[in-house]
């Protein structure tokens, strides 16, 4: 319930003439002692409500109100009432609200047991500051961190509004409608309430000074109008977090930052490029029986691996994956060993498509529909680096009389009569086995030699009497194959056959950026995934 202080409406002075009655008997009834039915009742009020501008129509300036009720001192801040402000810290207890247009104060928190004496200590009003329903401003620093803007306004007839912009920069409430451009810092806010016009309220709405017939609009069969929600212009406050960028030394960064944007961010999505939508999930298997096949919740997956309860990977030779139907089959000799149950399947499914449109709010449109269902919590949208067709090969074959440990692509020193006939017996390389490397076949006598790579080091030995096929341990295929029939005669210790192999791979520089901050995890890791198109023989 509310408690209202008594207020005087008006005082009127009149003159009245009284005279005594003659012989008429006058009967008087009275009592001289209290009745036994007399008593008292204590009423507890839930709030106090009073008008600071009673008797005049002027708008209160924000921050000018100060009054005392009992032992408590109250002030206003942007439409709210606070009591007992700490002069050291500025903190106080929120105790109610104030309407700057009407002067009505509602206090819902005070020190109990105090008297209800109200003392006004400070109040400033004006007739020049008109209420507004549209606010536009620009933040002094840009860009603004998405989701960090908060705007506080004091309503003329309804306390305080606290507004927060979402990640897209939109502000949408019943009374406030607007947005912020995080890049430019421009904020545009309209304050109104969408109201349905009925026969009961049409006359009242049309009587307002701001009403114009052009402001009405129709939705369906109903008529609506946006009724202004008036706010005090001097009550608008905002708070936001802005980014400040420090130029980095090119030596520390590892690349020249001259052509980078001021914020260091570059677009990764462009119209006409390829985009990848990927969802990664972790599904616990119901058991781990050798030879058993388990169905995953998704089909047409692009990647899958098994791991135990601690995240340790299950060796790939202990299971097989049917990517089309989303099935995992444990090998017949599968055993946990050092692994810890339960076993889980971590799998991923993807869609790749051509990007048709890119919006500044982050919305990306593809030219074709997606073929999987994606959830926001486990989905990532990324761009793709197109490599085109790749094929392994060998280049720069030559012979040299003496091996001087210099990895040059041309011969040096005296000429050599011995050679390898790669015209009839070319050095064979495969996409699976070849790597990006410079090779030296260094002879130790007339028939035997060492196989040395610039980065791989010595990986084996060989002879001109048998085919030379050193195995790549990663893929299980030869780095290259030198046919025994191609060797000529005349080789001696120290002679060298030099050639380079070009892998069916593309050079990619990976730079990982971590913002300056305190560490939140002990360890971190990431994976790089390559996609390839192959021809299937059906």
């Amino acid at each position: 319930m509310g408690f209202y202080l008594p207020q005087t409406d008006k005082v009127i002075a009149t003159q009245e003439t009284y005279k005594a009655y003659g012989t008429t008997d006058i009967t008087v009834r009275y009592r001289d002692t209290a009745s036994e039915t007399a008593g008292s009742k204590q009423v507890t009020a839930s709030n106090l409500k009073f008008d600071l501008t009673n008797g005049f129509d002027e708008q209160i300036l924000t921050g000018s109100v100060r009054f005392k009720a009992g032992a408590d001192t109250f002030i206003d801040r942007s439409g709210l009432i606070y009591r007992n402000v700490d002069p050291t810290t500025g903190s106080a207890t929120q105790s109610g609200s104030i309407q700057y247009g009407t002067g009505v104060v509602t206090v819902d928190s005070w020190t109990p047991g105090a008297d209800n004496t109200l003392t006004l200590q400070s109040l400033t009003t004006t007739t020049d500051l008109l209420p507004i329903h549209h606010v536009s401003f620009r933040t002094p620093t840009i860009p603004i961190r998405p989701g960090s803007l908060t705007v506080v306004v004091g309503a003329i007839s309804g306390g305080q509004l606290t507004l927060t912009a979402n990640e897209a920069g939109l502000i949408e409430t019943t009374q406030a409608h607007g947005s912020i451009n995080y890049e430019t810092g421009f904020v545009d806010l309209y304050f109104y309430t969408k109201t349905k016009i009925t026969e009961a309220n049409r006359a009242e709405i049309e009587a307002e000074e701001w009403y114009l017939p052009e402001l009405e609009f129709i939705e369906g069969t109903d008529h609506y109008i946006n009724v202004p929600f008036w706010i005090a212009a001097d009550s608008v406050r905002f708070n936001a977090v802005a980014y400040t960028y420090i130029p980095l030394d090119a030596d520390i960064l590892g690349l020249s930052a001259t052509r980078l944007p001021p914020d260091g961010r570059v677009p990764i999505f462009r119209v006409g490029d390829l985009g990848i939508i990927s969802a990664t999930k972790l599904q616990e298997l119901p058991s781990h029986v050798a030879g058993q096949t388990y169905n995953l919740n998704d089909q047409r997956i692009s990647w899958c691996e098994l791991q135990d309860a601690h995240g340790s990977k299950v060796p790939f030779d202990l299971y097989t994956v049917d990517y089309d139907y989303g099935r995992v089959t444990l090998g017949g000799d599968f055993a946990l060993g050092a692994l810890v149950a339960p076993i889980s399947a971590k799998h991923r499914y993807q869609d790749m498509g051509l990007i048709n449109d890119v919006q500044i709010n982050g919305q990306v449109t593809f030219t074709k529909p997606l073929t999987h269902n994606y959830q926001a919590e486990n989905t990532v949208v990324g761009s793709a680096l197109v490599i085109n067709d790749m094929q392994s090969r060998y280049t720069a074959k030559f012979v040299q009389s003496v091996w001087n440990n210099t990895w040059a692509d041309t011969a040096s020193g005296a000429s050599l009569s011995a050679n390898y006939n790669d015209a009839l017996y070319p050095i064979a390389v495969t996409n699976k086995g070849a790597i990006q490397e410079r090779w030296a076949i260094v002879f130790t006598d007339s028939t035997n030699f060492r196989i040395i790579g610039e980065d791989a080091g010595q990986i084996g030995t060989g002879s001109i009497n048998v085919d030379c096929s050193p195995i790549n341990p990663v893929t299980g295929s030869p780095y290259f194959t030198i046919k025994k029939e191609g060797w000529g005669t005349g080789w001696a210790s120290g002679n060298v056959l030099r050639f380079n192999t070009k892998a069916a791979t593309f050079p990619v520089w990976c730079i990982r950026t971590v913002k300056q901050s305190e560490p939140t995890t002990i360890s971190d890791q990431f994976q790089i995934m390559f996609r390839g198109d192959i021809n299937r023989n059906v």
Side-chain angles (χ1 to χ4, degrees):
M1 62 176 291
F3 177 75
Y4 297 84
L5 295 179
Q7 301 179 6
T8 301
D9 181 49
K10 62 177 66 176
V11 177
I12 301 176
T14 61
Q15 291 184 356
E16 297 289 342
T17 302
Y18 298 98
K19 59 184 179 178
Y21 285 94
T23 58
T24 304
D25 294 332
I26 298 176
T27 304
V28 179
R29 295 181 180 180
Y30 66 94
R31 68 182 183 186
D32 57 356
T33 57
S35 171
E36 295 181 357
T37 59
S40 63
K41 183 178 181 180
Q42 182 176 357
V43 179
T44 302
S46 60
N47 58 66
L48 305 176
K49 195 171 185 180
F50 47 88
D51 187 355
L52 295 179
T53 58
N54 182 40
F56 54 94
D57 185 15
E58 296 181 7
Q59 182 179 329
I60 298 176
L61 293 181
T62 60
S64 69
V65 175
R66 182 184 177 94
F67 61 89
K68 194 170 184 179
D72 297 329
T73 301
F74 297 83
I75 65 169
D76 77 298
R77 290 177 178 173
S78 300
L80 297 180
I81 296 296
Y82 293 84
R83 63 183 170 93
N84 300 335
V85 179
D86 188 335
T88 304
T89 63
S91 62
T93 303
Q94 181 180 333
S95 303
S97 62
I98 181 174
Q99 300 179 16
Y100 292 114
T102 63
V104 175
V105 175
T106 302
V107 178
D108 52 27
S109 174
W110 63 87
T111 301
D115 62 77
N116 59 354
T117 303
L118 179 64
T119 304
L120 183 61
Q121 298 179 333
S122 173
L123 177 65
T124 304
T125 61
T126 180
T127 57
D128 297 330
L129 188 62
L130 298 177
I132 60 175
H133 66 94
H134 180 204
V135 175
S136 296
F137 62 90
R138 183 181 180 275
T139 60
T141 307
I142 55 172
I144 301 299
R145 190 184 74 186
S148 68
L149 175 71
T150 300
V151 180
V152 178
V153 298
I156 291 296
S157 60
Q160 182 187 92
L161 290 183
T162 301
L163 312 171
T164 302
N166 61 16
E167 292 292 329
L170 298 179
I171 298 176
E172 191 67 33
T173 67
T174 304
Q175 296 89 10
H177 317 266
S179 63
I180 175 177
N181 186 320
Y182 289 122
E183 296 298 324
T184 62
F186 182 74
V187 181
D188 196 22
L189 282 173
Y190 288 87
F191 296 90
Y192 61 84
T193 302
K194 180 180 177 182
T195 304
K196 180 179 178 181
I197 300 178
T198 63
E199 293 297 329
N201 63 8
R202 174 172 287 278
E204 179 182 355
I205 292 176
E206 292 181 352
E208 295 288 348
E209 295 181 357
W210 50 264
Y211 173 80
L212 290 173
E214 294 83 355
L215 297 178
E216 295 188 21
F217 58 94
I218 300 176
E219 290 186 1
T221 58
D222 298 323
H223 287 249
Y224 290 88
I225 193 170
N226 294 329
V227 176
F229 184 81
W230 303 106
I231 64 172
D234 60 338
S235 68
V236 181
R237 304 287 186 272
F238 79 91
N239 179 54
V241 178
Y243 289 115
T244 299
Y245 301 101
I246 303 174
L248 297 177
D249 189 341
D251 296 333
I252 298 176
L253 187 60
L255 54 84
S256 175
T258 304
R259 300 182 62 183
L260 291 178
D263 58 0
R265 297 184 298 173
V266 295
I268 64 172
F269 300 106
R270 297 179 179 89
V271 175
D273 286 355
L274 289 178
I276 306 293
I277 302 178
S278 174
T280 303
K281 297 181 180 180
L282 186 65
Q283 179 178 338
E284 182 179 316
L285 302 183
S287 61
H288 48 273
V289 179
Q292 181 72 34
T293 298
Y294 300 94
N295 293 323
L296 301 179
N297 295 332
D298 303 287
Q299 297 181 345
R300 293 184 295 110
I301 62 177
S302 60
W303 169 84
C304 179
E305 67 179 17
L306 299 185
Q307 63 185 37
D308 70 353
H310 294 163
S312 300
K313 295 183 179 180
V314 178
F316 297 110
D317 56 354
L318 294 182
Y319 61 92
T320 58
V321 180
D322 187 332
Y323 293 94
D324 290 330
Y325 292 96
R327 299 170 182 167
V328 177
T329 303
L330 301 182
D333 57 348
F334 179 84
L336 283 179
L339 301 173
V340 178
I343 301 298
S344 299
K346 190 174 184 180
H347 64 280
R348 180 180 299 126
Y349 55 84
Q350 299 177 333
D351 275 296
M352 180 172 65
L354 197 65
I355 297 176
N356 182 47
D357 184 48
V358 179
Q359 296 293 330
I360 194 172
N361 61 1
Q363 180 178 346
V364 179
T365 305
F366 290 82
T367 58
K368 65 177 185 179
L370 302 180
T371 62
H372 295 88
N373 293 325
Y374 293 92
Q375 294 79 36
E377 60 271 13
N378 52 36
T379 301
V380 174
V381 180
S383 58
L385 176 63
V386 181
I387 298 176
N388 295 323
D389 295 338
M390 300 296 297
Q391 182 179 356
S392 62
R393 63 194 186 278
Y394 77 96
T395 62
K397 191 224 81 174
F398 62 89
V399 293
Q400 193 169 292
S401 59
V402 178
W403 176 238
N404 54 12
N405 292 316
T406 301
W407 296 97
D409 289 335
T410 57
S412 63
S415 60
L416 181 65
S417 59
N419 207 335
Y420 179 82
N421 186 0
D422 66 329
L424 296 179
Y425 306 100
I427 300 173
V429 293
T430 63
N431 291 343
K432 189 174 182 180
I435 63 174
Q436 200 81 9
E437 183 63 290
R438 292 198 277 195
W439 301 98
I441 307 300
V442 181
F443 280 82
T444 57
D445 54 37
S446 60
T447 58
N448 299 306
F449 52 78
R450 296 183 296 148
I451 308 169
I452 304 173
E454 181 182 15
D455 297 315
Q458 181 170 327
I459 62 172
T461 59
S463 170
I464 63 175
N465 297 319
V466 295
D467 291 345
C468 176
S469 299
I471 299 299
N472 184 336
V474 176
T475 64
S477 299
Y479 289 110
F480 53 83
T481 298
I482 303 176
K483 304 293 291 186
K484 64 180 184 297
E485 292 84 2
W487 292 109
T489 59
W491 295 99
S493 177
N495 294 164
V496 61
L497 170 67
R498 269 277 293 111
F499 63 93
N500 303 334
T501 55
K502 303 294 184 180
T505 57
F506 190 81
V508 178
W509 284 31
C510 297
I511 300 178
R512 193 179 188 202
T513 302
V514 179
K515 294 182 178 180
Q516 301 91 333
S517 61
E518 294 298 324
T520 57
T521 58
I522 301 300
S523 62
D524 196 10
Q525 60 181 354
F526 69 97
Q527 291 180 332
I528 299 177
M529 185 173 186
F530 293 93
R531 295 174 56 94
D533 295 329
I534 61 174
N535 293 325
R536 292 186 178 182
N537 296 323
V538 181

